[in-house]
Amino acid sequence: MKMFAYTRAQSAEAAVAAIVDGAKFIAGGTNLLDLMKLQIEAPSALIDISRLDLAQVEPLDGGVRIGALVTNSDLAAHPLIRATYPVLARALLSGASAQLRNKATTGGNLMQRTRCYYFYDTAAPCNKRAPGTGCNAQGGFNRIHAILGASDDCIATHPSDMAVALRALDAVLVTLLRGGDRRRIAIGDLFRLPGGTPAVEHSLMPGELITHIELPPPPPGAQAYRKVRDRASYAFALVSVAAVIAVEGGVITSARLAFGGVAPVPWRDPAVEAALIGQPPTAATFEASADALLADARGQGHNDFKIPLMRRTLVATLRELTGVAA
């Protein structure tokens, strides 16, 4: 780990004002500190925001406002989240260990970086870590990598379970910029696909601080988060589905679906939902939605299994939420 300056911010405004080139915000530090130890991240300064007054969960216009410093454990256990956004609670509880959830924050969870083996191996070329050096995952061991949304420069996946649920719930981020201005960013506009610039992972400006995450009123229907992984706990998703499905009068009237473990961002495709809405909840309807999701899926060899696995996981989730027998 390289030397760095350290400042404890007394307010969000002070934190933003303290950011200089090469500096990073730190709260729980569950991902950043690991990256610093490996010198994948080498910030010149750390601005500690962990003691700011941003750790509340509050009702807001029928929805909820979540402070960026609410821990994953507290958010998953909050009565309002458990009662009205169970898909989010389940996603949080499926991620990491209890010890990490006790420390990790809502804002930090969104900003965590990929767990690609080659990204963490500083001896290996990686366009995300060192732009222009190449991508060893393509043609290498790529079992955990993307089948959707990847590019010739990067096939890494986004690791967050929480972000997948927030994507399905149409979360909005509230941020603070230098100078005191605030900005609202739909979660679908936060994450960037790799394209030719995989090192650019999000749309935040330099020094921009996430202060809150807002959720609109819960959508109608039953909610579920289904995650498939190599072991029952402490593992990242091979594939996952966050789903909210409403059925009335024998047809699907509303569908929200987001997917993890399959793309460089929490993945959501309007064509998948369009294939469901207005249709009866049948096996044929579910298969049509999976066809829409996987129309452009591309395996890289070791991860080819993710394509049929994603299909089965989506269909099983839809069966669960609509009560259709297997």
Side-chain angles (χ1 to χ4, degrees):
M1 187 181 290
K2 294 184 178 180
M3 296 291 289
F4 56 89
Y6 172 84
T7 301
R8 180 183 295 174
Q10 301 302 315
S11 68
E13 291 76 13
V16 170
I19 284 286
V20 295
D21 288 344
K24 293 274 188 179
F25 297 120
I26 187 169
T30 56
N31 185 215
L32 178 58
L33 291 176
D34 286 343
L35 295 173
M36 289 174 64
K37 291 172 186 176
L38 296 171
Q39 296 189 19
I40 296 167
E41 295 270 14
S44 60
L46 292 181
I47 312 302
D48 186 349
I49 61 171
S50 63
R51 292 167 177 81
L52 301 187
D53 187 24
L54 296 172
Q56 293 81 33
V57 179
E58 305 164 308
L60 179 70
D61 299 330
V64 65
R65 185 168 101 154
I66 303 163
L69 296 181
V70 176
T71 67
N72 288 178
S73 290
D74 286 347
L75 187 58
H78 195 280
L80 182 58
I81 300 301
R82 293 181 63 180
T84 56
Y85 304 97
V87 63
L88 176 56
R90 292 170 190 170
L92 286 161
L93 291 173
S94 75
S97 65
Q99 293 90 337
L100 285 173
R101 293 197 301 269
N102 286 343
K103 192 68 175 174
T105 62
T106 303
N109 188 308
L110 289 172
M111 292 291 99
Q112 66 180 297
R113 304 193 71 186
T114 185
R115 284 353 188 247
C116 172
Y117 320 119
Y118 301 101
F119 175 73
Y120 273 79
D121 181 359
T122 55
C126 172
N127 289 321
K128 185 179 285 293
R129 188 185 66 248
T133 58
C135 175
N136 268 15
Q138 301 195 52
F141 184 58
N142 47 47
R143 184 172 181 274
I144 66 171
H145 289 73
I147 57 172
L148 293 166
S151 73
D152 291 339
D153 290 308
C154 183
I155 59 172
T157 55
H158 193 275
S160 173
D161 292 290
M162 182 194 76
V164 178
L166 292 178
R167 185 78 175 90
L169 294 169
D170 288 330
V172 173
L173 281 70
V174 180
T175 68
L176 180 66
L177 294 89
R178 293 173 180 171
D181 290 338
R182 292 193 177 270
R183 190 158 71 116
R184 295 173 61 82
I185 307 169
I187 192 168
D189 296 328
L190 173 65
F191 301 108
R192 295 273 299 269
L193 289 172
T197 55
V200 182
E201 298 176 349
H202 55 76
S203 60
L204 295 183
M205 299 177 188
E208 188 170 7
L209 176 65
I210 299 171
T211 61
H212 298 88
I213 294 87
E214 294 179 356
L215 296 179
Q223 302 182 20
Y225 186 76
R226 184 180 291 252
K227 177 178 179 178
V228 180
R229 46 191 161 179
D230 282 321
R231 58 186 188 274
S233 61
Y234 317 152
F236 294 96
L238 295 171
V239 302
S240 67
V241 182
V244 187
I245 304 292
V247 179
E248 293 181 18
V251 298
I252 297 170
T253 56
S254 176
R256 305 274 193 92
L257 291 160
F259 305 90
V262 293
V265 302
W267 191 257
R268 190 168 175 188
D269 183 347
V272 181
E273 297 167 11
L276 294 169
I277 295 173
Q279 301 299 316
T282 64
T285 297
F286 302 158
E287 290 292 342
S289 70
D291 288 343
L293 172 64
L294 299 168
D296 296 322
R298 176 188 168 199
Q300 297 285 340
H302 295 287
N303 70 345
D304 290 351
F305 74 96
K306 282 193 175 187
I307 297 174
L309 180 61
M310 185 72 263
R311 175 180 292 276
R312 291 195 298 270
T313 304
L314 172 56
V315 169
T317 304
L318 294 173
R319 288 184 183 276
E320 172 192 349
L321 290 178
T322 60
V324 175

